[in-house]
Each structure stands twice: as C-alpha cells, then as structure tokens.
PDB file of all heavy atoms in Angstrom:
ATOM      1  N   ASP A  88      14.137  65.933  13.038  1.00 97.00           N
ATOM      2  CA  ASP A  88      14.700  66.979  13.886  1.00 97.00           C
ATOM      3  C   ASP A  88      16.155  66.598  14.222  1.00 97.00           C
ATOM      4  O   ASP A  88      16.507  65.263  14.171  1.00 97.00           O
ATOM      5  CB  ASP A  88      13.965  67.161  15.300  1.00 97.00           C
ATOM      6  CG  ASP A  88      14.172  68.588  15.918  1.00 97.00           C
ATOM      7  OD1 ASP A  88      14.986  69.233  15.319  1.00 97.00           O
ATOM      8  OD2 ASP A  88      13.498  68.852  16.838  1.00 97.00           O
ATOM      9  N   VAL A  89      16.949  67.569  14.517  1.00 97.00           N
ATOM     10  CA  VAL A  89      18.373  67.321  14.817  1.00 97.00           C
ATOM     11  C   VAL A  89      18.400  66.652  16.164  1.00 97.00           C
ATOM     12  O   VAL A  89      17.759  66.966  17.106  1.00 97.00           O
ATOM     13  CB  VAL A  89      19.092  68.667  14.909  1.00 97.00           C
ATOM     14  CG1 VAL A  89      20.615  68.335  15.221  1.00 97.00           C
ATOM     15  CG2 VAL A  89      19.077  69.421  13.500  1.00 97.00           C
ATOM     16  N   CYS A  90      19.169  65.472  16.182  1.00 98.00           N
ATOM     17  CA  CYS A  90      19.184  64.650  17.426  1.00 98.00           C
ATOM     18  C   CYS A  90      20.623  64.531  18.011  1.00 98.00           C
ATOM     19  O   CYS A  90      20.724  63.874  19.083  1.00 98.00           O
ATOM     20  CB  CYS A  90      18.495  63.273  17.160  1.00 98.00           C
ATOM     21  SG  CYS A  90      19.457  62.210  16.013  1.00 98.00           S
ATOM     22  N   GLU A  91      21.596  65.074  17.398  1.00 96.00           N
ATOM     23  CA  GLU A  91      22.907  65.074  18.044  1.00 96.00           C
ATOM     24  C   GLU A  91      23.700  66.403  17.651  1.00 96.00           C
ATOM     25  O   GLU A  91      23.289  67.096  16.686  1.00 96.00           O
ATOM     26  CB  GLU A  91      23.871  63.934  17.217  1.00 96.00           C
ATOM     27  CG  GLU A  91      23.346  62.487  17.557  1.00 96.00           C
ATOM     28  CD  GLU A  91      24.258  61.481  16.853  1.00 96.00           C
ATOM     29  OE1 GLU A  91      25.407  61.906  16.449  1.00 96.00           O
ATOM     30  OE2 GLU A  91      23.819  60.314  16.793  1.00 96.00           O
ATOM     31  N   GLY A  92      24.583  66.731  18.562  1.00 94.00           N
ATOM     32  CA  GLY A  92      25.355  67.916  18.422  1.00 94.00           C
ATOM     33  C   GLY A  92      24.747  69.225  18.999  1.00 94.00           C
ATOM     34  O   GLY A  92      23.898  69.148  19.827  1.00 94.00           O
ATOM     35  N   GLU A  93      25.332  70.375  18.640  1.00 94.00           N
ATOM     36  CA  GLU A  93      25.061  71.615  19.157  1.00 94.00           C
ATOM     37  C   GLU A  93      23.508  72.090  18.873  1.00 94.00           C
ATOM     38  O   GLU A  93      22.946  72.811  19.800  1.00 94.00           O
ATOM     39  CB  GLU A  93      25.920  72.636  18.545  1.00 94.00           C
ATOM     40  CG  GLU A  93      25.731  73.962  18.934  1.00 94.00           C
ATOM     41  CD  GLU A  93      26.708  75.039  18.135  1.00 94.00           C
ATOM     42  OE1 GLU A  93      27.621  74.589  17.510  1.00 94.00           O
ATOM     43  OE2 GLU A  93      26.489  76.198  18.355  1.00 94.00           O
ATOM     44  N   HIS A  94      22.946  71.558  17.897  1.00 96.00           N
ATOM     45  CA  HIS A  94      21.632  72.046  17.510  1.00 96.00           C
ATOM     46  C   HIS A  94      20.475  71.053  17.842  1.00 96.00           C
ATOM     47  O   HIS A  94      19.510  71.031  17.105  1.00 96.00           O
ATOM     48  CB  HIS A  94      21.612  72.518  15.976  1.00 96.00           C
ATOM     49  CG  HIS A  94      22.450  73.622  15.703  1.00 96.00           C
ATOM     50  ND1 HIS A  94      22.255  75.007  16.185  1.00 96.00           N
ATOM     51  CD2 HIS A  94      23.774  73.680  15.367  1.00 96.00           C
ATOM     52  CE1 HIS A  94      23.186  75.686  15.805  1.00 96.00           C
ATOM     53  NE2 HIS A  94      24.160  74.934  15.272  1.00 96.00           N
ATOM     54  N   ILE A  95      20.646  70.198  18.813  1.00 97.00           N
ATOM     55  CA  ILE A  95      19.654  69.183  19.124  1.00 97.00           C
ATOM     56  C   ILE A  95      18.291  69.832  19.302  1.00 97.00           C
ATOM     57  O   ILE A  95      18.151  70.989  19.947  1.00 97.00           O
ATOM     58  CB  ILE A  95      19.983  68.442  20.466  1.00 97.00           C
ATOM     59  CG1 ILE A  95      21.220  67.422  20.111  1.00 97.00           C
ATOM     60  CG2 ILE A  95      18.801  67.573  20.884  1.00 97.00           C
ATOM     61  CD1 ILE A  95      21.736  66.887  21.330  1.00 97.00           C
ATOM     62  N   GLY A  96      17.243  69.309  18.655  1.00 96.00           N
ATOM     63  CA  GLY A  96      15.886  69.857  18.903  1.00 96.00           C
ATOM     64  C   GLY A  96      15.624  71.166  18.217  1.00 96.00           C
ATOM     65  O   GLY A  96      14.628  71.790  18.433  1.00 96.00           O
ATOM     66  N   PHE A  97      16.399  71.486  17.207  1.00 95.00           N
ATOM     67  CA  PHE A  97      16.296  72.820  16.536  1.00 95.00           C
ATOM     68  C   PHE A  97      14.897  73.112  15.956  1.00 95.00           C
ATOM     69  O   PHE A  97      14.327  74.071  16.282  1.00 95.00           O
ATOM     70  CB  PHE A  97      17.349  72.952  15.480  1.00 95.00           C
ATOM     71  CG  PHE A  97      17.272  74.216  14.671  1.00 95.00           C
ATOM     72  CD1 PHE A  97      17.987  75.400  15.178  1.00 95.00           C
ATOM     73  CD2 PHE A  97      16.456  74.403  13.562  1.00 95.00           C
ATOM     74  CE1 PHE A  97      17.820  76.593  14.472  1.00 95.00           C
ATOM     75  CE2 PHE A  97      16.446  75.643  12.836  1.00 95.00           C
ATOM     76  CZ  PHE A  97      17.026  76.579  13.259  1.00 95.00           C
ATOM     77  N   PHE A  98      14.304  72.009  15.308  1.00 94.00           N
ATOM     78  CA  PHE A  98      13.123  72.275  14.555  1.00 94.00           C
ATOM     79  C   PHE A  98      11.890  72.145  15.517  1.00 94.00           C
ATOM     80  O   PHE A  98      10.947  72.849  15.446  1.00 94.00           O
ATOM     81  CB  PHE A  98      12.914  71.329  13.440  1.00 94.00           C
ATOM     82  CG  PHE A  98      13.887  71.564  12.309  1.00 94.00           C
ATOM     83  CD1 PHE A  98      14.963  70.651  12.020  1.00 94.00           C
ATOM     84  CD2 PHE A  98      13.749  72.675  11.501  1.00 94.00           C
ATOM     85  CE1 PHE A  98      15.869  70.945  11.083  1.00 94.00           C
ATOM     86  CE2 PHE A  98      14.730  72.950  10.468  1.00 94.00           C
ATOM     87  CZ  PHE A  98      15.744  71.969  10.403  1.00 94.00           C
ATOM     88  N   GLN A  99      11.998  71.426  16.712  1.00 95.00           N
ATOM     89  CA  GLN A  99      10.968  71.488  17.776  1.00 95.00           C
ATOM     90  C   GLN A  99      10.947  72.768  18.316  1.00 95.00           C
ATOM     91  O   GLN A  99       9.851  73.387  18.567  1.00 95.00           O
ATOM     92  CB  GLN A  99      11.334  70.342  18.852  1.00 95.00           C
ATOM     93  CG  GLN A  99      10.296  70.335  19.893  1.00 95.00           C
ATOM     94  CD  GLN A  99       8.897  69.867  19.509  1.00 95.00           C
ATOM     95  OE1 GLN A  99       8.731  68.965  18.695  1.00 95.00           O
ATOM     96  NE2 GLN A  99       7.866  70.407  20.069  1.00 95.00           N
ATOM     97  N   GLN A 100      12.106  73.280  18.696  1.00 94.00           N
ATOM     98  CA  GLN A 100      12.175  74.738  19.272  1.00 94.00           C
ATOM     99  C   GLN A 100      11.578  75.751  18.377  1.00 94.00           C
ATOM    100  O   GLN A 100      10.864  76.628  18.791  1.00 94.00           O
ATOM    101  CB  GLN A 100      13.611  75.059  19.715  1.00 94.00           C
ATOM    102  CG  GLN A 100      13.737  76.280  20.376  1.00 94.00           C
ATOM    103  CD  GLN A 100      12.934  76.329  21.687  1.00 94.00           C
ATOM    104  OE1 GLN A 100      12.939  75.289  22.420  1.00 94.00           O
ATOM    105  NE2 GLN A 100      12.379  77.400  22.053  1.00 94.00           N
ATOM    106  N   ASP A 101      12.032  75.593  17.097  1.00 92.00           N
ATOM    107  CA  ASP A 101      11.457  76.563  16.010  1.00 92.00           C
ATOM    108  C   ASP A 101       9.856  76.581  16.028  1.00 92.00           C
ATOM    109  O   ASP A 101       9.404  77.601  15.927  1.00 92.00           O
ATOM    110  CB  ASP A 101      11.972  76.284  14.706  1.00 92.00           C
ATOM    111  CG  ASP A 101      11.393  77.041  13.576  1.00 92.00           C
ATOM    112  OD1 ASP A 101      11.621  78.252  13.422  1.00 92.00           O
ATOM    113  OD2 ASP A 101      10.589  76.482  12.754  1.00 92.00           O
ATOM    114  N   TRP A 102       9.416  75.346  15.958  1.00 92.00           N
ATOM    115  CA  TRP A 102       7.926  75.208  15.970  1.00 92.00           C
ATOM    116  C   TRP A 102       7.194  75.729  17.171  1.00 92.00           C
ATOM    117  O   TRP A 102       6.271  76.502  17.064  1.00 92.00           O
ATOM    118  CB  TRP A 102       7.648  73.697  15.782  1.00 92.00           C
ATOM    119  CG  TRP A 102       6.132  73.498  15.535  1.00 92.00           C
ATOM    120  CD1 TRP A 102       5.517  73.560  14.325  1.00 92.00           C
ATOM    121  CD2 TRP A 102       5.133  73.153  16.516  1.00 92.00           C
ATOM    122  NE1 TRP A 102       4.198  73.264  14.518  1.00 92.00           N
ATOM    123  CE2 TRP A 102       3.882  73.042  15.825  1.00 92.00           C
ATOM    124  CE3 TRP A 102       5.121  72.878  17.856  1.00 92.00           C
ATOM    125  CZ2 TRP A 102       2.670  72.731  16.495  1.00 92.00           C
ATOM    126  CZ3 TRP A 102       4.041  72.598  18.572  1.00 92.00           C
ATOM    127  CH2 TRP A 102       2.752  72.522  17.854  1.00 92.00           C
ATOM    128  N   LYS A 103       7.809  75.534  18.311  1.00 92.00           N
ATOM    129  CA  LYS A 103       7.273  76.113  19.624  1.00 92.00           C
ATOM    130  C   LYS A 103       7.351  77.604  19.669  1.00 92.00           C
ATOM    131  O   LYS A 103       6.424  78.239  20.119  1.00 92.00           O
ATOM    132  CB  LYS A 103       8.114  75.639  20.730  1.00 92.00           C
ATOM    133  CG  LYS A 103       7.688  74.105  21.144  1.00 92.00           C
ATOM    134  CD  LYS A 103       8.503  73.812  22.411  1.00 92.00           C
ATOM    135  CE  LYS A 103       8.174  72.313  22.722  1.00 92.00           C
ATOM    136  NZ  LYS A 103       8.902  71.824  23.861  1.00 92.00           N
ATOM    137  N   SER A 104       8.390  78.195  18.990  1.00 89.00           N
ATOM    138  CA  SER A 104       8.448  79.556  19.039  1.00 89.00           C
ATOM    139  C   SER A 104       7.606  80.352  18.031  1.00 89.00           C
ATOM    140  O   SER A 104       7.518  81.524  18.057  1.00 89.00           O
ATOM    141  CB  SER A 104       9.993  79.911  18.812  1.00 89.00           C
ATOM    142  OG  SER A 104      10.316  79.817  17.348  1.00 89.00           O
ATOM    143  N   GLN A 105       7.085  79.711  17.094  1.00 86.00           N
ATOM    144  CA  GLN A 105       6.131  80.365  16.181  1.00 86.00           C
ATOM    145  C   GLN A 105       4.909  80.835  16.789  1.00 86.00           C
ATOM    146  O   GLN A 105       4.201  79.948  17.436  1.00 86.00           O
ATOM    147  CB  GLN A 105       5.846  79.283  14.932  1.00 86.00           C
ATOM    148  CG  GLN A 105       6.943  78.985  14.030  1.00 86.00           C
ATOM    149  CD  GLN A 105       6.644  77.978  12.971  1.00 86.00           C
ATOM    150  OE1 GLN A 105       5.547  77.954  12.509  1.00 86.00           O
ATOM    151  NE2 GLN A 105       7.559  77.187  12.692  1.00 86.00           N
ATOM    152  N   ASP A 106       4.622  82.086  16.699  1.00 83.00           N
ATOM    153  CA  ASP A 106       3.429  82.648  17.416  1.00 83.00           C
ATOM    154  C   ASP A 106       2.272  82.931  16.407  1.00 83.00           C
ATOM    155  O   ASP A 106       1.412  83.829  16.584  1.00 83.00           O
ATOM    156  CB  ASP A 106       3.778  83.926  18.136  1.00 83.00           C
ATOM    157  CG  ASP A 106       4.443  84.966  17.257  1.00 83.00           C
ATOM    158  OD1 ASP A 106       4.537  84.711  15.955  1.00 83.00           O
ATOM    159  OD2 ASP A 106       4.686  86.059  17.799  1.00 83.00           O
ATOM    160  N   ARG A 107       2.226  82.127  15.285  1.00 80.00           N
ATOM    161  CA  ARG A 107       1.254  82.236  14.224  1.00 80.00           C
ATOM    162  C   ARG A 107       0.189  81.167  14.298  1.00 80.00           C
ATOM    163  O   ARG A 107       0.585  80.132  14.900  1.00 80.00           O
ATOM    164  CB  ARG A 107       1.871  82.463  12.833  1.00 80.00           C
ATOM    165  CG  ARG A 107       3.036  81.459  12.727  1.00 80.00           C
ATOM    166  CD  ARG A 107       3.849  81.608  11.437  1.00 80.00           C
ATOM    167  NE  ARG A 107       3.244  81.178  10.269  1.00 80.00           N
ATOM    168  CZ  ARG A 107       3.769  81.435   9.063  1.00 80.00           C
ATOM    169  NH1 ARG A 107       4.889  82.047   8.962  1.00 80.00           N
ATOM    170  NH2 ARG A 107       3.173  81.029   8.027  1.00 80.00           N
ATOM    171  N   GLU A 108      -0.825  81.365  13.798  1.00 84.00           N
ATOM    172  CA  GLU A 108      -2.018  80.334  13.801  1.00 84.00           C
ATOM    173  C   GLU A 108      -1.565  79.250  12.933  1.00 84.00           C
ATOM    174  O   GLU A 108      -2.017  78.055  13.195  1.00 84.00           O
ATOM    175  CB  GLU A 108      -3.383  80.981  13.430  1.00 84.00           C
ATOM    176  CG  GLU A 108      -3.876  81.822  14.511  1.00 84.00           C
ATOM    177  CD  GLU A 108      -5.311  82.454  14.144  1.00 84.00           C
ATOM    178  OE1 GLU A 108      -5.931  81.786  13.338  1.00 84.00           O
ATOM    179  OE2 GLU A 108      -5.624  83.392  14.664  1.00 84.00           O
ATOM    180  N   ASP A 109      -0.944  79.492  11.701  1.00 87.00           N
ATOM    181  CA  ASP A 109      -0.654  78.442  10.808  1.00 87.00           C
ATOM    182  C   ASP A 109       0.744  77.949  10.938  1.00 87.00           C
ATOM    183  O   ASP A 109       1.636  78.014   9.958  1.00 87.00           O
ATOM    184  CB  ASP A 109      -0.992  78.930   9.338  1.00 87.00           C
ATOM    185  CG  ASP A 109      -0.170  80.217   9.018  1.00 87.00           C
ATOM    186  OD1 ASP A 109       0.313  80.865   9.973  1.00 87.00           O
ATOM    187  OD2 ASP A 109       0.021  80.500   7.734  1.00 87.00           O
ATOM    188  N   LYS A 110       1.123  77.458  12.114  1.00 88.00           N
ATOM    189  CA  LYS A 110       2.490  77.033  12.386  1.00 88.00           C
ATOM    190  C   LYS A 110       2.826  75.834  11.360  1.00 88.00           C
ATOM    191  O   LYS A 110       1.921  75.233  10.880  1.00 88.00           O
ATOM    192  CB  LYS A 110       2.582  76.419  13.786  1.00 88.00           C
ATOM    193  CG  LYS A 110       2.589  77.312  14.913  1.00 88.00           C
ATOM    194  CD  LYS A 110       2.762  76.527  16.177  1.00 88.00           C
ATOM    195  CE  LYS A 110       2.767  77.414  17.404  1.00 88.00           C
ATOM    196  NZ  LYS A 110       3.148  76.577  18.665  1.00 88.00           N
ATOM    197  N   PHE A 111       4.187  75.836  11.124  1.00 89.00           N
ATOM    198  CA  PHE A 111       4.533  74.734  10.176  1.00 89.00           C
ATOM    199  C   PHE A 111       5.910  74.302  10.588  1.00 89.00           C
ATOM    200  O   PHE A 111       6.753  74.998  11.181  1.00 89.00           O
ATOM    201  CB  PHE A 111       4.587  75.260   8.687  1.00 89.00           C
ATOM    202  CG  PHE A 111       5.608  76.377   8.401  1.00 89.00           C
ATOM    203  CD1 PHE A 111       6.758  76.060   7.930  1.00 89.00           C
ATOM    204  CD2 PHE A 111       5.225  77.712   8.639  1.00 89.00           C
ATOM    205  CE1 PHE A 111       7.792  77.107   7.730  1.00 89.00           C
ATOM    206  CE2 PHE A 111       6.050  78.648   8.409  1.00 89.00           C
ATOM    207  CZ  PHE A 111       7.333  78.367   7.841  1.00 89.00           C
ATOM    208  N   TRP A 112       6.167  72.960  10.384  1.00 92.00           N
ATOM    209  CA  TRP A 112       7.419  72.277  10.723  1.00 92.00           C
ATOM    210  C   TRP A 112       8.392  72.465   9.610  1.00 92.00           C
ATOM    211  O   TRP A 112       8.047  72.120   8.397  1.00 92.00           O
ATOM    212  CB  TRP A 112       7.141  70.770  10.814  1.00 92.00           C
ATOM    213  CG  TRP A 112       8.196  70.063  11.473  1.00 92.00           C
ATOM    214  CD1 TRP A 112       9.228  69.359  10.684  1.00 92.00           C
ATOM    215  CD2 TRP A 112       8.558  69.901  12.835  1.00 92.00           C
ATOM    216  NE1 TRP A 112      10.133  68.905  11.611  1.00 92.00           N
ATOM    217  CE2 TRP A 112       9.793  69.120  12.946  1.00 92.00           C
ATOM    218  CE3 TRP A 112       7.979  70.295  14.009  1.00 92.00           C
ATOM    219  CZ2 TRP A 112      10.337  68.706  14.081  1.00 92.00           C
ATOM    220  CZ3 TRP A 112       8.567  69.874  15.194  1.00 92.00           C
ATOM    221  CH2 TRP A 112       9.713  69.105  15.177  1.00 92.00           C
ATOM    222  N   ARG A 113       9.557  73.060   9.850  1.00 91.00           N
ATOM    223  CA  ARG A 113      10.532  73.434   8.930  1.00 91.00           C
ATOM    224  C   ARG A 113      11.535  72.346   8.613  1.00 91.00           C
ATOM    225  O   ARG A 113      12.247  72.423   7.620  1.00 91.00           O
ATOM    226  CB  ARG A 113      11.290  74.635   9.154  1.00 91.00           C
ATOM    227  CG  ARG A 113      10.352  75.941   9.132  1.00 91.00           C
ATOM    228  CD  ARG A 113      11.050  77.247   9.178  1.00 91.00           C
ATOM    229  NE  ARG A 113      11.975  77.388  10.247  1.00 91.00           N
ATOM    230  CZ  ARG A 113      13.123  78.093  10.127  1.00 91.00           C
ATOM    231  NH1 ARG A 113      13.488  78.676   9.017  1.00 91.00           N
ATOM    232  NH2 ARG A 113      13.983  78.115  11.259  1.00 91.00           N
ATOM    233  N   GLY A 114      11.622  71.229   9.428  1.00 94.00           N
ATOM    234  CA  GLY A 114      12.515  70.201   9.165  1.00 94.00           C
ATOM    235  C   GLY A 114      11.949  69.037   8.324  1.00 94.00           C
ATOM    236  O   GLY A 114      11.508  68.084   8.812  1.00 94.00           O
TER     237      GLY A 114
END
C-alpha cells in the first residue's frame, strides 16, 4: 500500500470501499 505522499493508504481505502462479496486487494 502507498505509505508516503498524497495517496497514503490508497489500496486499503479501495478495499474497504468494495461492496462485493469477493473483495480483492489491488495493490
């Protein structure tokens, strides 16, 4: 996951926002 700069936590936030049963980590 991004840990510095403007997009810190991008993939964690993406994962949390997925409202499907088969969530997947995109990072």
Side-chain angles (χ1 to χ4, degrees):
D88 203 355
V89 179
C90 66
E91 292 181 16
E93 177 183 352
H94 297 282
I95 291 174
F97 179 87
F98 294 107
Q99 178 70 35
Q100 186 61 36
D101 172 73
W102 188 82
K103 285 181 180 179
S104 70
Q105 293 178 35
D106 59 357
R107 43 194 281 171
E108 289 181 24
D109 58 341
K110 287 184 177 190
F111 62 98
W112 188 266
R113 292 193 308 148

